[in-house]
Amino acid sequence: MSTHSNDIRLSLQGASSEIAVIALNRPTKRNALNDGLVLGIRDIFQNLPGSVRAAVIHGEGEHFCAGLDLSELSERDAGQGLMHSRMWHAALDCVQHGPVPVVAAMHGAVVGGGLELASACHIRVTDESSFFALPEGTRGIFVGGGGSVRIPRLIGAARMTDMMLTGRVYKAAEAERIGLAQYLVPTGTALDKALELATRIASNAPLTNYALMHALPRIAEQPADQGFFTEALMAAIVQNAPEAKARVRDFLEGRAAKVKKE
Ligand code: 1HE
């Protein structure tokens, strides 16, 4: 697939090419996100092949992502800065509200716009080498890739404010404890874990996955009464799919796996 950048790579895995693996591939610059890369992310998520049921995003080299490419910053005036931030919003919206769930596999630096990218994903896996920071505060800038909307929903506004005011860096274990990641795995295994999770996600009914990605965050923003109503609509639509009926029948007739304690 052609994108705006050679610094991002899409490959397909799985027996039916059901897993999209997206690699940030600019390791010499620590996968810093220049405009081409941001547009490349948008292009890939807007044009995922129809076979894809789940996606994984990771970074080549020693780090997940060093955030915004700071070398492009000085050339923008206020109006261009506004448009630039809106471009990030549009690209990361394609990640969050695309067709399939996305798992971020993180290692090394997950900073600034890198954390904003990870926050747009649906599941975050970190290995023990990761460190998380929002250096925007100390660089005299502000988040612009949706971080002020998404990150407080993960860790609370107080923690994000602290990260930005003081430059606080969270190590991987702390990051998992406060909610920046849902899985903590040994160094070097984040991609394997993310692929394992993506494989599991890909085996769900696609409509259920879509409902989870698109309805859950919206219901969280609705007053309770509207949330209950949206939930009922979503439940009715999803359970009406032939695939849902077949899966329930499989369980009732002893063909489907039980929930296990492990
Ligand atoms: C970069 C960038 C970058 C590295 N933009 N070029 N983000 C930051 O403030 C983080 C800035 N980066 C760092 O703190 C460090 O580079 C890392 C901790 C991520 C990695 O350290 P290290 O020792 O492995 O690498 P390095 O030697 O610092 O960097 C290697 C090269 O990548 C070097 O270039 P070179 O030509 O001298 O080899 C660095 O200049 C370059 N590089 N990070 C440009 N970010 C939508 S708004 C979002 C706002 C933000 O994201 S602000 C936070 C930006």
Side-chain angles (χ1 to χ4, degrees):
M1 179 195 307
S2 74
T3 77
H4 278 78
S5 174
N6 294 325
D7 295 329
I8 187 162
R9 215 181 44 228
L10 166 70
S11 58
L12 300 179
Q13 291 194 17
S16 317
S17 299
E18 69 274 23
I19 314 285
V21 181
I22 293 122
L24 305 176
N25 191 22
R26 201 187 176 209
T28 54
K29 295 290 179 186
R30 305 328 185 227
N31 298 320
L33 299 170
N34 55 21
D35 288 359
L37 247 174
V38 175
L39 292 172
I41 292 170
R42 182 201 65 185
D43 293 345
I44 283 185
F45 281 92
Q46 272 184 342
N47 296 293
L48 284 176
S51 62
V52 170
R53 296 280 173 267
V56 169
I57 188 160
H58 71 109
E60 296 290 356
E62 298 301 306
H63 302 282
F64 175 70
C65 177
L68 174 71
D69 187 324
L70 293 167
S71 69
E72 289 185 347
L73 190 69
S74 54
E75 288 154 28
R76 279 190 283 272
D77 64 20
Q80 289 164 333
L82 173 66
M83 294 309 166
H84 178 256
S85 171
R86 297 300 285 157
M87 176 188 79
W88 272 66
H89 292 165
L92 298 195
D93 186 62
C94 292
V95 177
Q96 183 178 3
H97 293 128
V100 299
V102 186
V103 185
M106 304 180 290
H107 73 297
V110 185
V111 301
L115 180 51
E116 296 184 286
L117 169 60
S119 304
C121 299
H122 303 94
I123 297 182
R124 280 158 294 280
V125 177
T126 180
D127 82 10
E128 282 164 353
S129 72
S130 298
F131 52 100
F132 297 77
L134 292 169
E136 287 89 337
T138 49
R139 306 250 184 265
I141 54 179
F142 193 66
V143 280
S148 62
V149 172
R150 294 192 180 97
I151 297 170
R153 284 166 170 73
L154 298 177
I155 62 173
R159 284 200 184 94
M160 179 170 174
T161 307
D162 175 27
M163 288 174 83
M164 293 199 69
L165 284 177
T166 67
R168 182 171 181 166
V169 178
Y170 279 99
K171 293 193 182 107
E174 277 182 306
E176 189 258 352
R177 181 176 56 75
I178 66 170
L180 283 172
Q182 291 108 311
Y183 293 87
L184 173 63
V185 295
T187 297
T189 65
L191 182 55
D192 287 347
K193 182 68 184 178
L195 287 169
E196 176 200 319
L197 295 171
T199 303
R200 216 178 295 168
I201 292 166
S203 72
N204 293 342
L207 195 57
T208 299
N209 282 346
Y210 191 84
L212 288 170
M213 295 165 57
H214 288 262
L216 273 188
R218 292 186 167 96
I219 289 171
E221 301 298 323
Q222 292 179 340
D225 182 54
Q226 290 175 26
F228 290 132
F229 192 69
T230 309
E231 178 185 274
L233 290 174
M234 208 65 251
I237 292 167
V238 169
Q239 79 193 19
N240 194 41
E243 186 167 357
K245 292 188 197 307
R247 283 170 182 246
V248 171
R249 209 166 37 245
D250 282 350
F251 174 75
L252 293 174
E253 293 170 8
R255 289 188 298 273
K258 291 186 192 181
V259 177
K260 288 203 202 82
K261 212 163 114 191
E262 288 198 294

